[in-house]
Amino acid sequence: MSSPTNAEKISRTPDDVSITPRNLDFRIADVLATDWHGGEAFPTAFYNALSIMFPVGEEQFINAVKHYRDKITDPELQSHIRGFTAQESIHRREHQKYNEALCAARFYPLDKLEAPIRNRIAWADRNLPPIARLAATVAYEHWTAILADALLRRPELLEGAHPEMVALWKWHAIEESEHKAVAFDVYRAVGGTNYLRRRIMLFVTVQFFWDALRHMRIMLRDYQGSKTRLWIGGIRYLFGKGGALRGLGKPWRDFFRRDFHPWDHDNRDVVASVARNISGTPQPAE
């Protein structure tokens, strides 16, 4: 794929989408000591497992995009990079607090949970060129975008969950939706190829599910009850009718189209609808 000329508009985020951070604080430390998702261990562990990935991963995403910031001539995309960085920085802060409180309350080994991700990122920093690390960011951002879209469109996925946790996950999903094309547009602007982003997506998909499964196994190892029934029920929760991951195959496959762009999955209507009702405690301006 050739690089766009400076005369071209690079950003393809719709003009009515604002990538503006909501500097919120969520009071969830006491909640995290419980099976906050309707008293159910498996869905609680699923979302907790995702949270463990975020602080380390989002720091890498910020670095991968900022590496190319000086090569972007489109003022609009520069503004979107600033919004992306601000949103991801606050996500990183809130999920770090989430993870530390979770692990303190439930005696999970946070260092052990994070170590494989940190080691993989360190390996990538030593061995992969910046464009490959940006391609990985593009792939992970697509995964977070399609998960976020499912969460926003299907409120039943968080039915029965503690209200503060519902607010946190919806807040995160809204902002992931708003900035879902920023890394992609930067990648395209600096000459990233379809071949590389497709290839990297296959690796990222394996890593994403491996990390989630590993985290859940650690979190559920002391479950009191039938582990067989727990995991069978968990598979139904994820992949059964109405499951949390059901229906993500098509938007995932769309990523491999030559002409794909994240805003081909236009969910501005649902983002705006949910954003009007988001709650949290505002933080002082940083």
Side-chain angles (χ1 to χ4, degrees):
M1 181 186 294
S2 61
S3 233
T5 67
N6 289 349
E8 287 183 287
K9 173 182 167 66
I10 297 172
S11 173
R12 286 179 55 191
T13 295
D15 292 339
D16 58 350
V17 173
S18 176
I19 306 175
T20 303
R22 299 160 179 82
N23 194 18
L24 302 179
D25 176 40
F26 296 93
R27 310 299 171 84
I28 57 175
D30 292 340
V31 179
L32 289 168
T34 70
D35 286 334
W36 55 262
H37 197 301
E40 296 292 332
F42 191 95
T44 298
F46 173 67
Y47 288 99
N48 289 347
L50 294 182
S51 182
I52 294 293
M53 300 181 196
F54 291 148
V56 180
E58 284 164 340
E59 181 178 22
Q60 178 73 352
F61 302 164
I62 291 168
N63 292 339
V65 170
K66 287 174 68 175
H67 178 85
Y68 287 101
R69 181 172 51 188
D70 293 343
K71 297 184 181 299
I72 301 302
T73 58
D74 179 357
E76 184 178 22
L77 185 52
Q78 280 283 2
S79 174
H80 290 167
I81 291 171
R82 290 191 292 273
F84 167 86
T85 299
Q87 286 186 336
E88 291 287 49
S89 295
I90 296 172
H91 297 177
R92 181 175 180 272
R93 180 194 72 198
E94 289 303 303
H95 280 280
Q96 187 65 35
K97 289 164 54 180
Y98 179 138
N99 296 345
E100 290 174 0
L102 170 71
C103 291
R106 308 196 70 160
F107 305 104
Y108 298 149
L110 182 56
D111 288 346
K112 180 179 178 180
L113 288 164
E114 290 183 337
I117 302 173
R118 290 189 183 279
N119 292 341
R120 192 165 62 237
I121 289 173
W123 181 92
D125 288 343
R126 291 192 306 269
N127 295 284
L128 297 181
I131 194 66
R133 300 198 294 272
L134 181 59
T137 297
V138 170
Y140 274 112
E141 284 292 298
H142 185 62
W143 262 113
T144 57
I146 63 178
L147 287 165
D149 184 66
L151 201 67
L152 296 175
R153 289 186 184 278
R154 298 163 55 198
E156 67 272 14
L157 293 179
L158 288 172
E159 187 175 354
H162 189 282
E164 193 76 353
M165 300 302 295
V166 173
L168 182 148
W169 282 103
K170 287 187 175 180
W171 158 77
H172 195 150
I174 289 165
E175 296 197 350
E176 289 296 330
S177 295
E178 290 170 346
H179 70 233
K180 64 184 175 182
V182 176
F184 188 98
D185 286 341
V186 172
Y187 179 79
R188 176 177 174 270
V190 299
T193 65
N194 286 329
Y195 172 78
L196 179 62
R197 72 173 172 89
R198 290 165 174 164
R199 186 178 181 189
I200 292 288
M201 173 55 97
L202 296 175
F203 287 103
V204 162
T205 298
V206 172
Q207 290 168 357
F208 179 85
F209 281 98
W210 178 260
D211 289 338
L213 178 61
R214 177 180 176 274
H215 294 164
M216 293 181 70
R217 288 184 63 190
I218 291 173
M219 292 174 180
L220 294 170
R221 64 188 175 188
D222 294 328
Y223 175 75
Q224 301 298 310
S226 169
K227 296 283 184 67
T228 300
R229 284 198 293 270
L230 173 71
W231 283 93
I232 290 174
I235 291 170
R236 284 198 298 268
Y237 174 79
L238 295 177
F239 299 105
K241 184 177 180 180
L245 301 180
R246 189 74 176 264
L248 300 189
K250 183 184 183 304
W252 179 81
R253 291 192 301 273
D254 285 347
F255 185 87
F256 293 87
R257 293 197 332 254
R258 175 175 292 276
D259 62 345
F260 171 76
H261 187 270
W263 278 105
D264 293 342
H265 300 156
D266 191 341
N267 60 345
R268 282 174 287 176
D269 54 347
V270 69
V271 169
S273 175
V274 177
R276 284 193 291 269
N277 299 311
I278 199 66
S279 62
T281 304
Q283 292 252 22
E286 294 181 346

